[in-house]
Amino acid sequence: MNGIKNLHVFKEKIVPIALAATLSLSLSACGGKVEMQSVDMGDLMAIEEVQGATIIDDMIARGELQYDEDLNIIQAADQLDRYMRIVEMTDGIDFTGVDSLEPLSDEAYQQTLNMSKEEIEALIELSKYKGDDVVALEAKLTALKKLNYLHNYCRDWVYSNGDNICTRIMIVAVKGSVADEFDRTDFAGITIPERHNFGGEPDSYSVKVDGEVYIVPTGEGEIWNTINYIYELQSADLSDGDQENRFATYDKAINYAKTTIAAGSNVKNNKLVAQYDADYIEGNFVR
């Protein structure tokens, strides 16, 4: 059975995106996308109706779809989102001189990676202390050391893993929905063909199942947008863009993956269409 490492989508041969800053802004919502920031991947996959529209949960239960030794692809997408939010929370802190201070223990630094949002916010408050009470000053320095480590670790992890996680989770989302519709137990025989040269957005995309072509119409918002963004992310170079654009791009990719997982798919007249529309997803799967 195919695991995540065997997933394949042909890279498109299109005009490269000249500026990374255009990527997160370039995709018009054909059929509209649902905003699912409030629902993480793990919670989405726990919904019974969603489980009935994809095989992702079954494959993960069998130990497939691993991202690395510690995380499956769903967990990796949630960790990417969490780490981006931590970087944003700690971006405005002045860490000047912190690296020259006596470091904390490795254990103390590692523990910061498991902190809740509320615990991180408490550290940020401690780091703002401006008085001369020695106990409070010591607590401030300890907080700054932890926040500095957390900021750098999370930022480096996001920059190293973001492109790969986002591409993979979108491919998994599409193939998981299609595989469920065709009563498959894995992604074998399911491919997303190459997008050919064009001057703008194409009218439709397609997915092949055992060589049979199934059209994804432009108006079929959730799955069409996700396939489109797979191609765009693969052709983009985010290394020249700023952090805000990089994070916006990753957020959009994760959101498209969520909407496609939630939407599922049906085959009608040789076309792949959504099982659940945007209104249904918003009303039933978004809290």
Side-chain angles (χ1 to χ4, degrees):
M1 294 186 180
N2 290 356
I4 185 69
K5 294 181 180 178
N6 295 322
L7 295 178
H8 181 66
V9 58
F10 291 103
K11 287 195 174 182
E12 56 184 327
K13 299 176 182 177
I14 65 171
V15 179
I17 297 175
L19 297 175
T22 65
L23 178 58
S24 66
L25 304 176
S26 65
L27 186 57
S28 60
C30 297
K33 77 176 179 66
V34 182
E35 178 53 59
M36 301 188 73
Q37 181 69 43
S38 63
V39 183
D40 65 29
M41 284 283 186
D43 288 342
L44 181 65
M45 291 305 308
I47 299 172
E48 187 173 351
E49 275 186 286
V50 173
Q51 292 175 0
T54 183
I55 68 165
I56 293 174
D57 55 314
D58 295 328
M59 293 183 71
I60 287 176
R62 297 196 302 266
E64 302 178 41
L65 301 184
Q66 286 298 115
Y67 176 69
D68 59 22
E69 291 182 0
D70 301 316
L71 303 171
N72 62 50
I73 191 59
I74 295 296
Q75 293 168 333
D78 278 340
Q79 182 156 296
L80 176 62
D81 178 74
R82 178 172 176 267
Y83 281 3
M84 285 192 291
R85 305 293 79 82
I86 290 173
V87 173
E88 290 171 341
M89 289 173 67
T90 55
D91 255 341
I93 300 173
D94 183 4
F95 292 118
T96 304
V98 174
D99 287 333
S100 65
L101 298 174
E102 183 178 351
L104 302 174
S105 67
D106 290 343
E107 182 181 4
Y109 284 132
Q110 285 298 315
Q111 287 174 349
T112 66
L113 299 177
N114 297 317
M115 283 185 167
S116 66
K117 179 182 177 182
E118 292 72 24
E119 289 173 322
I120 296 170
E121 288 173 341
L123 284 182
I124 293 172
E125 284 304 309
L126 287 173
S127 75
K128 295 177 181 178
Y129 180 72
K130 297 185 182 298
D132 54 10
D133 180 86
V134 292
V135 175
L137 283 171
E138 184 178 22
K140 173 181 180 175
L141 292 178
T142 299
L144 282 169
K145 292 175 187 179
K146 290 181 177 180
L147 291 168
N148 184 47
Y149 174 84
L150 191 59
H151 177 84
N152 291 333
Y153 182 95
C154 292
R155 182 194 59 201
D156 291 346
W157 194 93
V158 168
Y159 274 54
S160 297
N161 294 277
D163 285 18
N164 196 16
I165 290 173
C166 287
T167 301
R168 290 185 178 192
I169 192 60
M170 288 191 290
I171 294 171
V172 166
V174 172
K175 291 190 175 185
S177 296
V178 173
D180 184 79
E181 173 64 8
F182 285 87
D183 294 322
R184 301 298 180 95
T185 59
D186 59 23
F187 300 155
I190 300 174
T191 59
I192 302 172
E194 176 182 354
R195 183 169 78 173
H196 298 289
N197 292 313
F198 64 92
E201 292 178 349
D203 292 333
S204 61
Y205 290 129
S206 64
V207 175
K208 288 184 178 180
V209 180
D210 293 335
E212 184 77 18
V213 177
Y214 296 89
I215 300 299
V216 181
T218 305
E220 203 54 43
E222 315 313 326
I223 192 169
W224 189 96
N225 282 337
T226 302
I227 293 173
N228 187 69
Y229 217 59
I230 292 169
Y231 294 140
E232 292 209 15
L233 185 54
Q234 285 183 328
S235 66
D237 180 4
L238 296 179
S239 62
D240 294 331
D242 60 21
Q243 177 178 291
E244 183 179 1
N245 178 73
R246 184 188 289 262
F247 284 17
T249 299
Y250 294 161
D251 284 338
K252 189 185 293 286
I254 292 171
N255 199 79
Y256 281 155
K258 289 177 183 176
T259 60
T260 293
I261 291 170
S265 65
N266 290 140
V267 174
K268 295 182 180 179
N269 299 321
N270 223 48
K271 295 180 180 179
L272 279 169
V273 298
Q275 180 175 342
Y276 302 122
D277 63 19
D279 289 340
Y280 188 89
I281 294 170
E282 277 191 330
N284 293 274
F285 304 150
V286 179
R287 62 172 185 269

